């Protein structure tokens, strides 16, 4: 059984790639509404875009920044857990997430002015762990006698929320600047997050005394009271869960682009600046203190007629453990995109993007891409990305618009077709309804545009 | 996302890997106070002098039965003949009433040579009986000057109306609770009861022949006293015994310890107001392994006896008599040499008559014996073996364990060398394996100065390797029997002192090496 669990975990952590929410190809698909999720200043190609529930955008992604499956496979079909230790870095990160559009609408209110509305269902799981955590789990503390294993930075977070957004976009045919922004109301549904600012385990070199100095908190907000309620899932439970507005949050996305000259432009976007305040059945479990375990005093136990449990309770008293029901605030993971675009030919663009996100530590990514449009119904992008210490990320994106129906698909790592060979990937695809091609005055209309 | 690279799940294996975990298991301190103090504070006190030198004080208190359960006042019966003379019988037959007065002084039947002056009663029944066949009416006024309550003598009336009976036996009773029974007679006598009866005979119209009997009986029964005063007499009380448990040696299976100056205090608390004493019918030390050493004394305490103790001269008070056994007046050093786990003693109190009439006892009078062994932990330990069982040990129980390294550290600031071995016990206390493969381990004492004081601790490390097969045998055991032989420094020839800061710290940690492997 343990073998199956370990294997499944290895696959899970190795398989789906992609920095959870980083999508480095998507912003290059200007004609797709979803490009604005990453760059609110992305210039649309159409005056009108409509997304329908379930089909306009489906996303999932996962990442394990430490290793690929093949990194820990000693020979074919044989995993070697100690090989993980050869790959883990000081800070490591596992992500899995999915989201889908419930609805979106974007339309041009007047030339160069766009308003957009959308709702998205979001779920994320993040697990940040330090190198020493892997050492402890795989090797134990026996190899680190006389040393301190620093487990600080251990962090787990799982969130399900819904995003309602209203956005605006101001393009400028005559000037160099384009501005975009989005205000998001967040409806939190459930959250668990654990943060250890400080967690060290020292094994004394003499007689293996264990000392620990934890400083951490586990917050949770669930649809039921995990301490008091039995879980009774019925029709009302699901309805109440999905319509729960007790956990409110707000966030903004901001973007701008600058047309340096006819060929070269730059854009910047900063997203997910916001938070959710969790109130529903909020629970906070805090553990702080400084405790040493030197072994049980059997003489005292026997003579005092105490139970071993009492002794352990006494031991635990060295820690300050508290349970509260306080509302807590959970910040979103902010993202930054800096992109340069060079229009090589009329239908050909070259992109370069620097991406950064902050979760436990700053995690950068670099992408270069080539975009080729064919007529007005096709756009293809090929990208190469370095991210999460991995150079093997070959991304592709494709947009097809046969008529008002716009089909798109984008992934940052096509190599994930062999999921055992990559650290991360993501995939987004969907179908939008678009209309009203926006003419670019500086360009001559294509013959088919005139039809 | 799907994959074109297939993996047959059932074929995927995981290389064995070998984690190791280092965990402290036991960390306990043993000092002499810990060893001694864990049972009952009423029986032991561990004290430190101003230099932190330990004294172990074991004590016990035993007491004799109280006086009212030992000394009983017997039932008393007094009688007098109140028959009529011929002249008074004629007068009665002629219809003339007659009166006779009887002033009696009866002997109180005491036991055990008692010469009592008075007794305060908290119980008793007085029964006054008329036994007669006289065919006339009789009224009797009974007065007992010896029985008073608040200074008022006991009185009782008895009336008899003749109605043709041939013989009658009429009785009246009274409760004697709260009465003082004065047995001094004329004031200087003892064991005398004075009582008076005024008998009024009234004619009934019948003729009496003159030889009819009229007998007055006065019975005093079920007497319970709160105080007896006078010469209390001679009594030997039932034996009572005590046992001072010396816990520090309770687990010893052999020993030879020469304490520098042990002392034994015996304190007698006497509330009998009469000359008293006691015999020590048993006074000895006893080891857990069966050795008994009787005490001998050349001092004030006579073993087995007789011993005379002081007694109080005032009612309600007590009197203390103290004895001290030490190395100069007894064999106490030898008695404690085999590390006894108990001190047994049995006491037989006695009360003796000295002819004095001013002694007393109260109903709750008794003799209490406080025995206290004071053992300064200043000794030469030739050998002292003890054993103790550590319970509720939880060793890792996992099939993946390949080996366990037990790391044992002893930090000894006790002034003794300890040869120690441990045995893993099953639930039936059977020894399954030893802790130390190489046999007993000598834990050296701390460095000792010429006065027997520890200058620096002795520290020893020992590592014991248990391979998988050996560890399998013990991993589910929860009890570890520690057996230790103790000697003071210099092979038990140097006197050493135990201070409150002297202790033996025992630490056992394990380094578990595992090999996690999947089929």
């Amino acid at each position: 059984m343990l073998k199956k669990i370990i294997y499944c975990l290895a696959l899970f952590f190795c398989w789906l790639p992609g920095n959870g929410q980083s999508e480095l190809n998507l912003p290059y698909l200007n004609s797709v509404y979803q490009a604005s999720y990453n760059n609110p200043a992305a210039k649309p190609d159409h005056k009108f875009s409509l997304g329908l529930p379930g089909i306009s955008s489906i996303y999932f992604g996962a990442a394990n920044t430490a290793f690929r499956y093949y990194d820990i496979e000693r020979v074919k079909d044989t995993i070697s857990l100690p090989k993980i230790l050869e790959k883990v870095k000081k800070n490591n990160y596992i992500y899995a997430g999915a989201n889908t559009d419930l609805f979106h609408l974007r339309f041009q209110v007047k030339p160069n002015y766009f308003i957009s509305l959308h709702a998205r269902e979001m779920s994320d799981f993040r697990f940040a762990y330090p190198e020493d955590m892997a050492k402890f789990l795989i090797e134990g503390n026996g190899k680190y006698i006389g040393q301190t294993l620093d487990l600080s930075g251990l962090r787990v977070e799982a969130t399900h929320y819904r995003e309602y957004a209203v956005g605006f976009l101001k393009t400028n045919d005559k000037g160099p600047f384009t501005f975009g922004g989005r205000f998001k109301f967040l409806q939190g549904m459930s959250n668990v997050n654990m943060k250890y600012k400080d967690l060290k385990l020292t094994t004394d070199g003499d007689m293996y005394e264990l000392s620990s100095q934890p400083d951490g908190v586990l917050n949770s907000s669930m649809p039921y009271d995990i301490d008091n309620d039995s879980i009774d899932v019925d029709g009302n439970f699901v309805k109440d869960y999905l319509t729960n507005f007790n956990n409110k949050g707000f966030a903004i996305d901001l973007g701008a682009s600058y047309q340096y000259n006819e060929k070269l432009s730059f854009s910047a976007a900063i997203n997910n600046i916001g938070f959710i305040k969790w109130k529903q059945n909020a629970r906070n479990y805090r553990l702080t203190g400084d405790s040493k375990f030197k072994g049980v005093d059997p003489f005292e136990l026997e003579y005092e007629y105490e139970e071993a449990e009492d002794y352990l309770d006494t031991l635990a008293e060295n820690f300050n453990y508290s349970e509260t029901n306080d509302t807590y605030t959970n910040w979103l993971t902010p993202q930054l995109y800096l992109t340069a675009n060079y229009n090589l030919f009329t239908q050909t663009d070259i992109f370069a993007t620097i991406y950064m996100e902050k979760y436990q530590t700053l995690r950068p990514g670099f992408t270069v891409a080539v975009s080729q449009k064919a007529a007005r119904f096709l756009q293809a992008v090929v990208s190469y990305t370095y991210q999460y210490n991995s150079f093997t990320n070959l991304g592709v994106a494709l947009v097809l618009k046969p008529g008002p129906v716009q089909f798109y698909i984008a992934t940052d790592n096509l190599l994930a077709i062999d999921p055992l060979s990559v650290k991360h990937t993501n995939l987004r695809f969907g179908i939008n309804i678009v209309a009203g091609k926006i003419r670019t005055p500086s360009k001559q209309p294509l013959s088919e545009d005139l039809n | 996302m799907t994959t074109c690279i297939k993996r047959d799940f059932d074929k995927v294996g995981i290389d064995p890997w070998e984690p190791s975990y280092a965990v402290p298991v036991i960390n306990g301190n043993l000092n002499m106070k810990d060893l001694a103090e864990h049972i009952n504070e009423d029986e032991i006190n561990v004290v430190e002098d101003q230099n932190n030198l330990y004294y172990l004080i074991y004590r016990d208190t035993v007491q004799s039965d109280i006086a009212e359960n030992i000394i009983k006042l017997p039932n008393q019966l007094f009688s007098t003949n109140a028959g009529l003379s011929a002249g008074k019988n004629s007068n009665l037959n002629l219809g003339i009433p007659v009166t006779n007065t009887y002033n009696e002084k009866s002997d109180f039947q005491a036991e055990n040579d008692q010469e009592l002056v008075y007794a305060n009663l908290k119980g008793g029944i007085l029964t006054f009986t008329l036994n007669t066949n006289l065919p006339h009416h009789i009224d009797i006024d009974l007065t007992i000057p010896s029985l008073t309550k608040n200074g008022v003598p006991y009185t009782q009336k008895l009336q008899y109306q003749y109605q043709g009976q041939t013989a009658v036996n009429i009785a009246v009773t009274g409760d004697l609770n709260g009465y003082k029974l004065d047995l001094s007679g004329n004031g200087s006598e003892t064991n005398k009861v004075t009582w008076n009866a005024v008998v009024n005979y009234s004619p009934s119209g019948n003729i009496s022949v003159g030889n009819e009997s009229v007998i007055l009986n006065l019975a005093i029964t079920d007497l319970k006293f709160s105080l007896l005063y006078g010469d209390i007499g001679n009594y030997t009380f039932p034996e009572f015994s005590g046992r001072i448990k010396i816990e520090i040696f309770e687990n010893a299976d052999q020993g030879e310890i020469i304490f520098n100056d042990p002392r034994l205090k015996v304190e007698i608390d006497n509330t009998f107001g009469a000359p008293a004493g006691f015999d020590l019918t048993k006074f000895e030390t006893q080891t857990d392994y069966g050795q008994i050493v009787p005490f001998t004394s050349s001092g004030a305490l006579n073993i087995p006896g007789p011993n005379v103790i002081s007694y109080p001269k005032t009612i309600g008070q007590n009197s203390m008599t103290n004895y001290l056994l030490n190395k100069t007046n007894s064999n106490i050093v030898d008695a404690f040499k085999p590390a006894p786990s108990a001190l047994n003693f049995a006491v037989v109190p006695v009360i003796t008559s000295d002819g004095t009439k001013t002694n007393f006892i109260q109903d709750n009078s008794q003799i209490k014996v406080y025995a206290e062994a004071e053992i300064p932990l200043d000794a030469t330990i030739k050998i002292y073996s003890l054993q103790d069982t550590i319970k509720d040990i939880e060793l890792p129980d996992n099939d993946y364990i390949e080996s366990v390294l037990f790391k044992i550290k002893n930090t000894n600031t006790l002034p003794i060398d300890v040869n120690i071995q441990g045995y893993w016990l099953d639930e039936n206390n059977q020894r399954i394996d030893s802790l130390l493969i190489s046999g007993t381990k000598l834990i050296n004492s701390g460095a000792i100065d010429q006065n027997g004081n520890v200058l620096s601790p002795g520290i020893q490390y020992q590592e014991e390797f248990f391979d998988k097969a050996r560890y399998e045998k013990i991993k589910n055991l929860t009890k570890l029997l520690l057996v230790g032989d103790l000697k003071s420094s210099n092979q038990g020839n140097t006197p050493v002192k135990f201070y409150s800061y002297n202790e033996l710290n025992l630490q056992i940690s394990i380094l578990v090496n595992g090999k996690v492997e999947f089929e």
Side-chain angles (χ1 to χ4, degrees), chain A residues 2-4 6-7 15 60 69-70 73-74 77-82 136-143 205-210 293-299 302-303 416-420, chain B residues 1-5 7 9-15 17-30 34-35 38 388-390 407-409 461 506-511 518-519:
Chain A
L2 182 58
K3 172 185 163 186
K4 291 184 177 181
I6 292 173
Y7 180 76
W15 187 56
F60 62 90
Y69 175 81
Y70 288 147
E73 194 178 51
R74 183 177 56 80
D77 290 339
T78 302
I79 297 172
S80 173
L81 294 181
F136 178 67
L137 292 178
I138 294 173
E139 295 187 320
N141 66 328
K143 291 186 172 63
D206 184 20
M207 290 303 291
Y208 314 153
E209 293 172 7
L210 301 174
F293 179 62
K294 298 180 177 181
V296 175
D297 186 344
F299 310 113
E302 182 182 352
Y303 295 157
I417 197 166
D418 175 6
L420 310 183
Chain B
M1 178 131 326
T2 57
T3 173
C4 61
I5 307 297
R7 280 291 187 276
F9 180 82
D10 291 332
K11 288 183 180 176
V12 173
I14 300 171
D15 270 347
W17 79 96
E18 299 178 351
S20 66
Y21 295 93
V23 183
V25 178
I26 288 172
N27 180 15
N29 291 315
L30 278 176
D34 294 329
L35 286 170
H38 60 277
D388 208 349
T389 303
I390 300 174
K407 189 174 183 182
I408 304 161
K409 179 183 181 183
Y461 288 91
L506 172 65
Q507 290 177 270
I508 300 178
S509 300
I510 55 174
L511 178 60
F518 297 107
E519 297 294 333

Side-chain angles (χ1 to χ4, degrees), chain A residues 7 15 24 28 44 58 74 151 188 256 262 294 298-299 315 321 329 337 352 359 405 407 414 423 439:
Chain A
Y7 180 76
W15 187 56
L24 296 168
Y28 308 145
I58 296 171
R74 183 177 56 80
L151 312 180
E262 189 175 330
K294 298 180 177 181
F299 310 113
L315 191 73
Y321 173 74
T329 298
Y337 290 84
Y359 186 79
V405 177
F407 170 78
L414 185 63
K423 285 184 175 179
R439 315 289 178 188

Side-chain angles (χ1 to χ4, degrees), chain B residues 4 28 91 101 173 179 218 297 331 343 398 449 508:
Chain B
C4 61
N91 288 342
T101 298
T173 61
Y179 279 89
L218 178 64
S297 168
N331 67 336
L343 192 158
N398 198 310
D449 67 10
I508 300 178

